Amino acid sequence: MVVWARAFQGNNINTSEVLSAEGVELFYGETPAVRHAELLLRRGEVAAITGQSGSGKSSLLYCLAGVLPVADGEVRFEGRVLGRMDDEDLCTLRRERFGFVFQYGELLPELTIEENAALPLRLLGQRKGPALAAAGEVLGRLGLGKLRRRRPSQLSGGQCQRVAVARALVHQPAVVFADEPTGSLDTANAAAVLKEFLTLARSMGTAVVLVTHDDQVAARADSLYTMRDGVLVPQAREAT
Ligand SMILES: Nc1ncnc2c1ncn2[C@@H]1O[C@H](COP(=O)(O)OP(=O)(O)OP(=O)(O)O)[C@@H](O)[C@H]1O
Ligand SMILES: [Mg+2]
C-alpha cells in the first residue's frame, strides 16, 4: 500500500512511520466491524477517513488508539505492538503520546477552559502553574487567550471545539485521534476550526487520524481512506 505524504512547508519533519495497522479485525459479538484494515501513518501526517454512518470508522479509531483490543492483526506505535502491551503500559502510552478530539468537544463544565486544556499535562503529573501556562499558550495560538478564565458554558460551539483541540495537543502528542471533531458545527465554523487544528498539529509534528463526513475537510489531509462496510479502502491522491 502506498501512502502519499506531502512535503511539510517550513517544517523539518522526517517521514518515519509512527503508527501502523496490519490486517486489523474487530468484531462486536459475531458481527465484523473492521475487516483486515491496513494503514500507515508517518510522523506529522494527516490521514482522513470518510465513510457512511455505521461503516466502522469510530471502531477503527478505537483499535488504532488501543481503546479496543483487536481480534486479529496488529496495531504498532513506534514499533511497539499495542496488543502485546499490558493495560498499565497502554494507559500510559495513551496518556503521554496520544491526544483525542471528540465530536462535541466533551469539556468538563465545572473547569475553566485553561483548566480543561491543561488536563493532559496535569494527568502527566505537571504542576498546576506550568500546566496552565502551557495551556494558555496553546489557547492563545487558537485565538482564545483572552477567554481562558471562562467556563465552557460561556463559549460558542466553535470556541468549545477549539478548547478541545488545545486539550488534545497541549502535551504535544505523537498522534491525535479526531472523531468528527467539528461534527457539531456549521460548515464555515467547522472549516475554520479544522484549519486551525491541522495547522497547529503540523507545527508540532503531530500526526492526525481524522474521521470526517466532509469531503472538503478530507481534501486538506495528506492521505485519504474510505470505510465501506468495515473495509478500509485507501484513496489515490495526487500531489499538489
Ligand atoms: N459496542 C457495540 N456493540 C455492537 N455493535 C456496535 C458497537 N459499536 C458499534 N457497533 C456497530 O458497528 C458498526 C460500526 O459502528 P461505528 O460506530 O464504528 O460506525 P461509524 O462509521 O463510526 O458510524 P458514524 O459515522 O455514525 O459515527 C455499526 O453497525 C454499529 O451499529
Ligand atoms: Mg462514528
PDB file of all heavy atoms in Angstrom, residues 70-105:
ATOM      1  N   VAL A  70      -7.848  -5.697  19.349  1.00  0.00           N
ATOM      2  CA  VAL A  70      -8.211  -6.243  18.036  1.00  0.00           C
ATOM      3  C   VAL A  70      -8.343  -7.757  18.126  1.00  0.00           C
ATOM      4  O   VAL A  70      -7.700  -8.402  18.950  1.00  0.00           O
ATOM      5  CB  VAL A  70      -7.164  -5.849  16.958  1.00  0.00           C
ATOM      6  CG1 VAL A  70      -7.039  -4.337  16.882  1.00  0.00           C
ATOM      7  CG2 VAL A  70      -5.815  -6.487  17.226  1.00  0.00           C
ATOM      8  N   ALA A  71      -9.224  -8.311  17.271  1.00  0.00           N
ATOM      9  CA  ALA A  71      -9.420  -9.761  17.257  1.00  0.00           C
ATOM     10  C   ALA A  71      -8.296 -10.438  16.483  1.00  0.00           C
ATOM     11  O   ALA A  71      -7.923 -11.573  16.772  1.00  0.00           O
ATOM     12  CB  ALA A  71     -10.771 -10.100  16.629  1.00  0.00           C
ATOM     13  N   ASP A  72      -7.771  -9.739  15.511  1.00  0.00           N
ATOM     14  CA  ASP A  72      -6.675 -10.286  14.706  1.00  0.00           C
ATOM     15  C   ASP A  72      -5.883  -9.114  14.121  1.00  0.00           C
ATOM     16  O   ASP A  72      -6.368  -7.990  14.067  1.00  0.00           O
ATOM     17  CB  ASP A  72      -7.237 -11.163  13.577  1.00  0.00           C
ATOM     18  CG  ASP A  72      -6.172 -12.136  13.072  1.00  0.00           C
ATOM     19  OD1 ASP A  72      -5.047 -12.141  13.622  1.00  0.00           O
ATOM     20  OD2 ASP A  72      -6.467 -12.879  12.121  1.00  0.00           O
ATOM     21  N   GLY A  73      -4.666  -9.384  13.705  1.00  0.00           N
ATOM     22  CA  GLY A  73      -3.819  -8.339  13.146  1.00  0.00           C
ATOM     23  C   GLY A  73      -3.086  -7.572  14.242  1.00  0.00           C
ATOM     24  O   GLY A  73      -3.155  -7.938  15.424  1.00  0.00           O
ATOM     25  N   GLU A  74      -2.419  -6.515  13.836  1.00  0.00           N
ATOM     26  CA  GLU A  74      -1.593  -5.760  14.782  1.00  0.00           C
ATOM     27  C   GLU A  74      -1.693  -4.264  14.541  1.00  0.00           C
ATOM     28  O   GLU A  74      -1.731  -3.812  13.403  1.00  0.00           O
ATOM     29  CB  GLU A  74      -0.120  -6.138  14.604  1.00  0.00           C
ATOM     30  CG  GLU A  74       0.245  -7.454  15.240  1.00  0.00           C
ATOM     31  CD  GLU A  74       1.705  -7.790  15.050  1.00  0.00           C
ATOM     32  OE1 GLU A  74       2.411  -7.101  14.284  1.00  0.00           O
ATOM     33  OE2 GLU A  74       2.123  -8.770  15.682  1.00  0.00           O
ATOM     34  N   VAL A  75      -1.717  -3.520  15.644  1.00  0.00           N
ATOM     35  CA  VAL A  75      -1.516  -2.067  15.572  1.00  0.00           C
ATOM     36  C   VAL A  75      -0.175  -1.800  16.234  1.00  0.00           C
ATOM     37  O   VAL A  75       0.074  -2.261  17.346  1.00  0.00           O
ATOM     38  CB  VAL A  75      -2.627  -1.297  16.309  1.00  0.00           C
ATOM     39  CG1 VAL A  75      -2.340   0.200  16.284  1.00  0.00           C
ATOM     40  CG2 VAL A  75      -3.986  -1.590  15.688  1.00  0.00           C
ATOM     41  N   ARG A  76       0.690  -1.093  15.531  1.00  0.00           N
ATOM     42  CA  ARG A  76       2.012  -0.750  16.073  1.00  0.00           C
ATOM     43  C   ARG A  76       2.134   0.747  16.240  1.00  0.00           C
ATOM     44  O   ARG A  76       1.805   1.503  15.326  1.00  0.00           O
ATOM     45  CB  ARG A  76       3.116  -1.156  15.078  1.00  0.00           C
ATOM     46  CG  ARG A  76       3.537  -2.573  15.168  1.00  0.00           C
ATOM     47  CD  ARG A  76       4.512  -2.877  14.030  1.00  0.00           C
ATOM     48  NE  ARG A  76       4.539  -4.287  13.818  1.00  0.00           N
ATOM     49  CZ  ARG A  76       5.422  -5.101  14.414  1.00  0.00           C
ATOM     50  NH1 ARG A  76       6.375  -4.606  15.165  1.00  0.00           N
ATOM     51  NH2 ARG A  76       5.349  -6.393  14.215  1.00  0.00           N
ATOM     52  N   PHE A  77       2.654   1.144  17.392  1.00  0.00           N
ATOM     53  CA  PHE A  77       3.000   2.554  17.602  1.00  0.00           C
ATOM     54  C   PHE A  77       4.497   2.614  17.865  1.00  0.00           C
ATOM     55  O   PHE A  77       4.983   1.970  18.798  1.00  0.00           O
ATOM     56  CB  PHE A  77       2.225   3.137  18.784  1.00  0.00           C
ATOM     57  CG  PHE A  77       2.686   4.518  19.145  1.00  0.00           C
ATOM     58  CD1 PHE A  77       2.351   5.603  18.354  1.00  0.00           C
ATOM     59  CD2 PHE A  77       3.501   4.724  20.256  1.00  0.00           C
ATOM     60  CE1 PHE A  77       2.805   6.874  18.673  1.00  0.00           C
ATOM     61  CE2 PHE A  77       3.963   5.994  20.569  1.00  0.00           C
ATOM     62  CZ  PHE A  77       3.610   7.063  19.771  1.00  0.00           C
ATOM     63  N   GLU A  78       5.205   3.332  17.020  1.00  0.00           N
ATOM     64  CA  GLU A  78       6.668   3.414  17.110  1.00  0.00           C
ATOM     65  C   GLU A  78       7.272   2.032  17.314  1.00  0.00           C
ATOM     66  O   GLU A  78       8.156   1.828  18.154  1.00  0.00           O
ATOM     67  CB  GLU A  78       7.076   4.378  18.234  1.00  0.00           C
ATOM     68  CG  GLU A  78       6.691   5.822  17.909  1.00  0.00           C
ATOM     69  CD  GLU A  78       7.084   6.815  18.981  1.00  0.00           C
ATOM     70  OE1 GLU A  78       7.420   6.397  20.107  1.00  0.00           O
ATOM     71  OE2 GLU A  78       7.051   8.023  18.684  1.00  0.00           O
ATOM     72  N   GLY A  79       6.745   1.076  16.570  1.00  0.00           N
ATOM     73  CA  GLY A  79       7.312  -0.273  16.573  1.00  0.00           C
ATOM     74  C   GLY A  79       6.781  -1.187  17.661  1.00  0.00           C
ATOM     75  O   GLY A  79       7.014  -2.392  17.627  1.00  0.00           O
ATOM     76  N   ARG A  80       6.051  -0.635  18.637  1.00  0.00           N
ATOM     77  CA  ARG A  80       5.516  -1.483  19.722  1.00  0.00           C
ATOM     78  C   ARG A  80       4.118  -1.954  19.350  1.00  0.00           C
ATOM     79  O   ARG A  80       3.267  -1.130  18.959  1.00  0.00           O
ATOM     80  CB  ARG A  80       5.441  -0.712  21.034  1.00  0.00           C
ATOM     81  CG  ARG A  80       6.784  -0.232  21.524  1.00  0.00           C
ATOM     82  CD  ARG A  80       6.601   0.765  22.653  1.00  0.00           C
ATOM     83  NE  ARG A  80       6.318   0.111  23.930  1.00  0.00           N
ATOM     84  CZ  ARG A  80       5.940   0.772  25.028  1.00  0.00           C
ATOM     85  NH1 ARG A  80       5.774   2.068  24.988  1.00  0.00           N
ATOM     86  NH2 ARG A  80       5.733   0.126  26.146  1.00  0.00           N
ATOM     87  N   VAL A  81       3.858  -3.241  19.509  1.00  0.00           N
ATOM     88  CA  VAL A  81       2.539  -3.793  19.196  1.00  0.00           C
ATOM     89  C   VAL A  81       1.609  -3.538  20.381  1.00  0.00           C
ATOM     90  O   VAL A  81       1.868  -4.008  21.502  1.00  0.00           O
ATOM     91  CB  VAL A  81       2.637  -5.307  18.903  1.00  0.00           C
ATOM     92  CG1 VAL A  81       1.249  -5.879  18.617  1.00  0.00           C
ATOM     93  CG2 VAL A  81       3.582  -5.561  17.740  1.00  0.00           C
ATOM     94  N   LEU A  82       0.530  -2.768  20.141  1.00  0.00           N
ATOM     95  CA  LEU A  82      -0.361  -2.394  21.253  1.00  0.00           C
ATOM     96  C   LEU A  82      -0.943  -3.627  21.946  1.00  0.00           C
ATOM     97  O   LEU A  82      -1.079  -3.658  23.165  1.00  0.00           O
ATOM     98  CB  LEU A  82      -1.512  -1.500  20.753  1.00  0.00           C
ATOM     99  CG  LEU A  82      -1.147  -0.176  20.092  1.00  0.00           C
ATOM    100  CD1 LEU A  82      -2.391   0.696  19.931  1.00  0.00           C
ATOM    101  CD2 LEU A  82      -0.078   0.579  20.863  1.00  0.00           C
ATOM    102  N   GLY A  83      -1.289  -4.638  21.153  1.00  0.00           N
ATOM    103  CA  GLY A  83      -1.916  -5.843  21.699  1.00  0.00           C
ATOM    104  C   GLY A  83      -0.998  -6.657  22.601  1.00  0.00           C
ATOM    105  O   GLY A  83      -1.457  -7.535  23.324  1.00  0.00           O
ATOM    106  N   ARG A  84       0.296  -6.368  22.568  1.00  0.00           N
ATOM    107  CA  ARG A  84       1.234  -7.095  23.429  1.00  0.00           C
ATOM    108  C   ARG A  84       1.596  -6.313  24.686  1.00  0.00           C
ATOM    109  O   ARG A  84       2.389  -6.773  25.499  1.00  0.00           O
ATOM    110  CB  ARG A  84       2.521  -7.423  22.659  1.00  0.00           C
ATOM    111  CG  ARG A  84       2.277  -8.433  21.571  1.00  0.00           C
ATOM    112  CD  ARG A  84       3.566  -9.089  21.107  1.00  0.00           C
ATOM    113  NE  ARG A  84       3.407  -9.540  19.742  1.00  0.00           N
ATOM    114  CZ  ARG A  84       4.209  -9.216  18.755  1.00  0.00           C
ATOM    115  NH1 ARG A  84       5.284  -8.491  18.975  1.00  0.00           N
ATOM    116  NH2 ARG A  84       3.969  -9.663  17.536  1.00  0.00           N
ATOM    117  N   MET A  85       1.019  -5.115  24.812  1.00  0.00           N
ATOM    118  CA  MET A  85       1.330  -4.307  25.992  1.00  0.00           C
ATOM    119  C   MET A  85       0.323  -4.595  27.093  1.00  0.00           C
ATOM    120  O   MET A  85      -0.842  -4.896  26.814  1.00  0.00           O
ATOM    121  CB  MET A  85       1.269  -2.813  25.628  1.00  0.00           C
ATOM    122  CG  MET A  85       2.335  -2.430  24.624  1.00  0.00           C
ATOM    123  SD  MET A  85       2.129  -0.770  23.981  1.00  0.00           S
ATOM    124  CE  MET A  85       2.449   0.186  25.442  1.00  0.00           C
ATOM    125  N   ASP A  86       0.764  -4.499  28.371  1.00  0.00           N
ATOM    126  CA  ASP A  86      -0.223  -4.693  29.438  1.00  0.00           C
ATOM    127  C   ASP A  86      -1.031  -3.399  29.608  1.00  0.00           C
ATOM    128  O   ASP A  86      -0.670  -2.349  29.073  1.00  0.00           O
ATOM    129  CB  ASP A  86       0.423  -5.177  30.743  1.00  0.00           C
ATOM    130  CG  ASP A  86       1.392  -4.177  31.332  1.00  0.00           C
ATOM    131  OD1 ASP A  86       1.159  -2.964  31.171  1.00  0.00           O
ATOM    132  OD2 ASP A  86       2.399  -4.600  31.931  1.00  0.00           O
ATOM    133  N   ASP A  87      -2.143  -3.504  30.367  1.00  0.00           N
ATOM    134  CA  ASP A  87      -3.091  -2.386  30.472  1.00  0.00           C
ATOM    135  C   ASP A  87      -2.422  -1.113  30.974  1.00  0.00           C
ATOM    136  O   ASP A  87      -2.713  -0.014  30.496  1.00  0.00           O
ATOM    137  CB  ASP A  87      -4.250  -2.754  31.416  1.00  0.00           C
ATOM    138  CG  ASP A  87      -5.230  -3.691  30.734  1.00  0.00           C
ATOM    139  OD1 ASP A  87      -5.089  -3.883  29.501  1.00  0.00           O
ATOM    140  OD2 ASP A  87      -6.107  -4.228  31.418  1.00  0.00           O
ATOM    141  N   GLU A  88      -1.527  -1.273  31.940  1.00  0.00           N
ATOM    142  CA  GLU A  88      -0.899  -0.090  32.539  1.00  0.00           C
ATOM    143  C   GLU A  88      -0.027   0.636  31.508  1.00  0.00           C
ATOM    144  O   GLU A  88      -0.092   1.858  31.369  1.00  0.00           O
ATOM    145  CB  GLU A  88      -0.063  -0.526  33.743  1.00  0.00           C
ATOM    146  CG  GLU A  88       0.245   0.618  34.667  1.00  0.00           C
ATOM    147  CD  GLU A  88       1.095   0.168  35.850  1.00  0.00           C
ATOM    148  OE1 GLU A  88       0.966  -0.994  36.265  1.00  0.00           O
ATOM    149  OE2 GLU A  88       1.898   0.999  36.313  1.00  0.00           O
ATOM    150  N   ASP A  89       0.768  -0.139  30.770  1.00  0.00           N
ATOM    151  CA  ASP A  89       1.633   0.464  29.753  1.00  0.00           C
ATOM    152  C   ASP A  89       0.804   1.143  28.662  1.00  0.00           C
ATOM    153  O   ASP A  89       1.150   2.209  28.158  1.00  0.00           O
ATOM    154  CB  ASP A  89       2.536  -0.590  29.108  1.00  0.00           C
ATOM    155  CG  ASP A  89       3.677  -0.967  30.030  1.00  0.00           C
ATOM    156  OD1 ASP A  89       3.854  -0.274  31.051  1.00  0.00           O
ATOM    157  OD2 ASP A  89       4.368  -1.951  29.741  1.00  0.00           O
ATOM    158  N   LEU A  90      -0.302   0.480  28.309  1.00  0.00           N
ATOM    159  CA  LEU A  90      -1.163   1.013  27.259  1.00  0.00           C
ATOM    160  C   LEU A  90      -1.812   2.333  27.708  1.00  0.00           C
ATOM    161  O   LEU A  90      -1.877   3.301  26.941  1.00  0.00           O
ATOM    162  CB  LEU A  90      -2.237  -0.025  26.924  1.00  0.00           C
ATOM    163  CG  LEU A  90      -2.936   0.078  25.590  1.00  0.00           C
ATOM    164  CD1 LEU A  90      -1.962   0.211  24.440  1.00  0.00           C
ATOM    165  CD2 LEU A  90      -3.843  -1.136  25.390  1.00  0.00           C
ATOM    166  N   CYS A  91      -2.256   2.370  28.968  1.00  0.00           N
ATOM    167  CA  CYS A  91      -2.842   3.606  29.518  1.00  0.00           C
ATOM    168  C   CYS A  91      -1.806   4.720  29.509  1.00  0.00           C
ATOM    169  O   CYS A  91      -2.103   5.858  29.123  1.00  0.00           O
ATOM    170  CB  CYS A  91      -3.310   3.387  30.959  1.00  0.00           C
ATOM    171  SG  CYS A  91      -4.903   2.628  31.050  1.00  0.00           S
ATOM    172  N   THR A  92      -0.596   4.388  29.926  1.00  0.00           N
ATOM    173  CA  THR A  92       0.473   5.388  29.960  1.00  0.00           C
ATOM    174  C   THR A  92       0.759   5.894  28.555  1.00  0.00           C
ATOM    175  O   THR A  92       0.893   7.099  28.329  1.00  0.00           O
ATOM    176  CB  THR A  92       1.758   4.776  30.567  1.00  0.00           C
ATOM    177  OG1 THR A  92       1.424   4.251  31.841  1.00  0.00           O
ATOM    178  CG2 THR A  92       2.856   5.807  30.703  1.00  0.00           C
ATOM    179  N   LEU A  93       0.825   4.973  27.621  1.00  0.00           N
ATOM    180  CA  LEU A  93       1.076   5.348  26.225  1.00  0.00           C
ATOM    181  C   LEU A  93      -0.008   6.292  25.716  1.00  0.00           C
ATOM    182  O   LEU A  93       0.292   7.334  25.120  1.00  0.00           O
ATOM    183  CB  LEU A  93       1.130   4.086  25.356  1.00  0.00           C
ATOM    184  CG  LEU A  93       1.202   4.313  23.861  1.00  0.00           C
ATOM    185  CD1 LEU A  93       2.571   4.828  23.470  1.00  0.00           C
ATOM    186  CD2 LEU A  93       0.892   3.055  23.091  1.00  0.00           C
ATOM    187  N   ARG A  94      -1.267   5.929  25.973  1.00  0.00           N
ATOM    188  CA  ARG A  94      -2.371   6.776  25.501  1.00  0.00           C
ATOM    189  C   ARG A  94      -2.303   8.162  26.139  1.00  0.00           C
ATOM    190  O   ARG A  94      -2.515   9.167  25.486  1.00  0.00           O
ATOM    191  CB  ARG A  94      -3.722   6.132  25.830  1.00  0.00           C
ATOM    192  CG  ARG A  94      -4.135   5.052  24.852  1.00  0.00           C
ATOM    193  CD  ARG A  94      -5.634   4.820  24.887  1.00  0.00           C
ATOM    194  NE  ARG A  94      -6.078   4.419  26.190  1.00  0.00           N
ATOM    195  CZ  ARG A  94      -6.271   3.163  26.580  1.00  0.00           C
ATOM    196  NH1 ARG A  94      -6.072   2.176  25.717  1.00  0.00           N
ATOM    197  NH2 ARG A  94      -6.670   2.875  27.781  1.00  0.00           N
ATOM    198  N   ARG A  95      -1.985   8.208  27.413  1.00  0.00           N
ATOM    199  CA  ARG A  95      -1.947   9.476  28.129  1.00  0.00           C
ATOM    200  C   ARG A  95      -0.803  10.368  27.642  1.00  0.00           C
ATOM    201  O   ARG A  95      -0.943  11.569  27.498  1.00  0.00           O
ATOM    202  CB  ARG A  95      -1.787   9.185  29.622  1.00  0.00           C
ATOM    203  CG  ARG A  95      -2.417  10.194  30.516  1.00  0.00           C
ATOM    204  CD  ARG A  95      -2.595   9.671  31.925  1.00  0.00           C
ATOM    205  NE  ARG A  95      -1.424   8.974  32.415  1.00  0.00           N
ATOM    206  CZ  ARG A  95      -1.468   7.859  33.133  1.00  0.00           C
ATOM    207  NH1 ARG A  95      -2.614   7.303  33.420  1.00  0.00           N
ATOM    208  NH2 ARG A  95      -0.370   7.282  33.552  1.00  0.00           N
ATOM    209  N   GLU A  96       0.356   9.748  27.400  1.00  0.00           N
ATOM    210  CA  GLU A  96       1.556  10.533  27.084  1.00  0.00           C
ATOM    211  C   GLU A  96       1.692  10.864  25.610  1.00  0.00           C
ATOM    212  O   GLU A  96       2.149  11.936  25.241  1.00  0.00           O
ATOM    213  CB  GLU A  96       2.819   9.754  27.514  1.00  0.00           C
ATOM    214  CG  GLU A  96       2.967   9.674  29.017  1.00  0.00           C
ATOM    215  CD  GLU A  96       4.227   8.941  29.433  1.00  0.00           C
ATOM    216  OE1 GLU A  96       4.921   8.360  28.559  1.00  0.00           O
ATOM    217  OE2 GLU A  96       4.507   8.924  30.640  1.00  0.00           O
ATOM    218  N   ARG A  97       1.330   9.909  24.746  1.00  0.00           N
ATOM    219  CA  ARG A  97       1.685  10.047  23.336  1.00  0.00           C
ATOM    220  C   ARG A  97       0.508  10.286  22.410  1.00  0.00           C
ATOM    221  O   ARG A  97       0.700  10.586  21.236  1.00  0.00           O
ATOM    222  CB  ARG A  97       2.449   8.793  22.865  1.00  0.00           C
ATOM    223  CG  ARG A  97       3.626   8.396  23.752  1.00  0.00           C
ATOM    224  CD  ARG A  97       4.682   9.493  23.910  1.00  0.00           C
ATOM    225  NE  ARG A  97       5.129  10.046  22.647  1.00  0.00           N
ATOM    226  CZ  ARG A  97       6.003   9.471  21.836  1.00  0.00           C
ATOM    227  NH1 ARG A  97       6.545   8.334  22.167  1.00  0.00           N
ATOM    228  NH2 ARG A  97       6.357  10.029  20.703  1.00  0.00           N
ATOM    229  N   PHE A  98      -0.721  10.064  22.921  1.00  0.00           N
ATOM    230  CA  PHE A  98      -1.910  10.240  22.097  1.00  0.00           C
ATOM    231  C   PHE A  98      -2.736  11.425  22.594  1.00  0.00           C
ATOM    232  O   PHE A  98      -2.707  11.763  23.775  1.00  0.00           O
ATOM    233  CB  PHE A  98      -2.815   8.993  22.146  1.00  0.00           C
ATOM    234  CG  PHE A  98      -2.228   7.765  21.483  1.00  0.00           C
ATOM    235  CD1 PHE A  98      -2.840   6.528  21.641  1.00  0.00           C
ATOM    236  CD2 PHE A  98      -1.071   7.831  20.717  1.00  0.00           C
ATOM    237  CE1 PHE A  98      -2.308   5.385  21.040  1.00  0.00           C
ATOM    238  CE2 PHE A  98      -0.538   6.697  20.111  1.00  0.00           C
ATOM    239  CZ  PHE A  98      -1.159   5.472  20.283  1.00  0.00           C
ATOM    240  N   GLY A  99      -3.482  12.029  21.683  1.00  0.00           N
ATOM    241  CA  GLY A  99      -4.470  13.042  22.042  1.00  0.00           C
ATOM    242  C   GLY A  99      -5.784  12.680  21.369  1.00  0.00           C
ATOM    243  O   GLY A  99      -5.794  11.950  20.369  1.00  0.00           O
ATOM    244  N   PHE A 100      -6.880  13.185  21.919  1.00  0.00           N
ATOM    245  CA  PHE A 100      -8.193  12.840  21.391  1.00  0.00           C
ATOM    246  C   PHE A 100      -9.066  14.088  21.266  1.00  0.00           C
ATOM    247  O   PHE A 100      -9.082  14.918  22.174  1.00  0.00           O
ATOM    248  CB  PHE A 100      -8.899  11.829  22.324  1.00  0.00           C
ATOM    249  CG  PHE A 100      -8.150  10.527  22.456  1.00  0.00           C
ATOM    250  CD1 PHE A 100      -7.156  10.363  23.410  1.00  0.00           C
ATOM    251  CD2 PHE A 100      -8.413   9.470  21.592  1.00  0.00           C
ATOM    252  CE1 PHE A 100      -6.444   9.178  23.517  1.00  0.00           C
ATOM    253  CE2 PHE A 100      -7.711   8.271  21.692  1.00  0.00           C
ATOM    254  CZ  PHE A 100      -6.725   8.128  22.656  1.00  0.00           C
ATOM    255  N   VAL A 101      -9.766  14.191  20.140  1.00  0.00           N
ATOM    256  CA  VAL A 101     -10.792  15.234  19.997  1.00  0.00           C
ATOM    257  C   VAL A 101     -12.092  14.538  19.625  1.00  0.00           C
ATOM    258  O   VAL A 101     -12.118  13.731  18.697  1.00  0.00           O
ATOM    259  CB  VAL A 101     -10.479  16.252  18.875  1.00  0.00           C
ATOM    260  CG1 VAL A 101     -11.375  17.490  19.019  1.00  0.00           C
ATOM    261  CG2 VAL A 101      -9.027  16.672  18.854  1.00  0.00           C
ATOM    262  N   PHE A 102     -13.149  14.880  20.326  1.00  0.00           N
ATOM    263  CA  PHE A 102     -14.433  14.225  20.097  1.00  0.00           C
ATOM    264  C   PHE A 102     -15.407  15.166  19.401  1.00  0.00           C
ATOM    265  O   PHE A 102     -15.187  16.376  19.339  1.00  0.00           O
ATOM    266  CB  PHE A 102     -15.022  13.736  21.428  1.00  0.00           C
ATOM    267  CG  PHE A 102     -14.084  12.850  22.187  1.00  0.00           C
ATOM    268  CD1 PHE A 102     -13.347  13.343  23.252  1.00  0.00           C
ATOM    269  CD2 PHE A 102     -13.889  11.539  21.808  1.00  0.00           C
ATOM    270  CE1 PHE A 102     -12.461  12.541  23.946  1.00  0.00           C
ATOM    271  CE2 PHE A 102     -12.999  10.725  22.486  1.00  0.00           C
ATOM    272  CZ  PHE A 102     -12.283  11.216  23.555  1.00  0.00           C
ATOM    273  N   GLN A 103     -16.503  14.571  18.941  1.00  0.00           N
ATOM    274  CA  GLN A 103     -17.479  15.294  18.131  1.00  0.00           C
ATOM    275  C   GLN A 103     -18.024  16.537  18.840  1.00  0.00           C
ATOM    276  O   GLN A 103     -18.191  17.582  18.228  1.00  0.00           O
ATOM    277  CB  GLN A 103     -18.622  14.344  17.787  1.00  0.00           C
ATOM    278  CG  GLN A 103     -19.631  14.923  16.858  1.00  0.00           C
ATOM    279  CD  GLN A 103     -20.562  13.856  16.300  1.00  0.00           C
ATOM    280  OE1 GLN A 103     -20.481  12.691  16.676  1.00  0.00           O
ATOM    281  NE2 GLN A 103     -21.426  14.249  15.410  1.00  0.00           N
ATOM    282  N   TYR A 104     -18.322  16.407  20.116  1.00  0.00           N
ATOM    283  CA  TYR A 104     -18.923  17.530  20.848  1.00  0.00           C
ATOM    284  C   TYR A 104     -17.943  18.166  21.833  1.00  0.00           C
ATOM    285  O   TYR A 104     -18.358  18.838  22.769  1.00  0.00           O
ATOM    286  CB  TYR A 104     -20.188  17.055  21.572  1.00  0.00           C
ATOM    287  CG  TYR A 104     -21.249  16.587  20.615  1.00  0.00           C
ATOM    288  CD1 TYR A 104     -21.486  15.240  20.411  1.00  0.00           C
ATOM    289  CD2 TYR A 104     -21.996  17.505  19.870  1.00  0.00           C
ATOM    290  CE1 TYR A 104     -22.441  14.807  19.506  1.00  0.00           C
ATOM    291  CE2 TYR A 104     -22.951  17.083  18.968  1.00  0.00           C
ATOM    292  CZ  TYR A 104     -23.175  15.734  18.791  1.00  0.00           C
ATOM    293  OH  TYR A 104     -24.117  15.312  17.891  1.00  0.00           O
ATOM    294  N   GLY A 105     -16.661  17.938  21.619  1.00  0.00           N
ATOM    295  CA  GLY A 105     -15.673  18.574  22.482  1.00  0.00           C
ATOM    296  C   GLY A 105     -15.533  17.897  23.832  1.00  0.00           C
ATOM    297  O   GLY A 105     -14.455  17.562  24.261  1.00  0.00           O
TER     298      GLY A 105
END
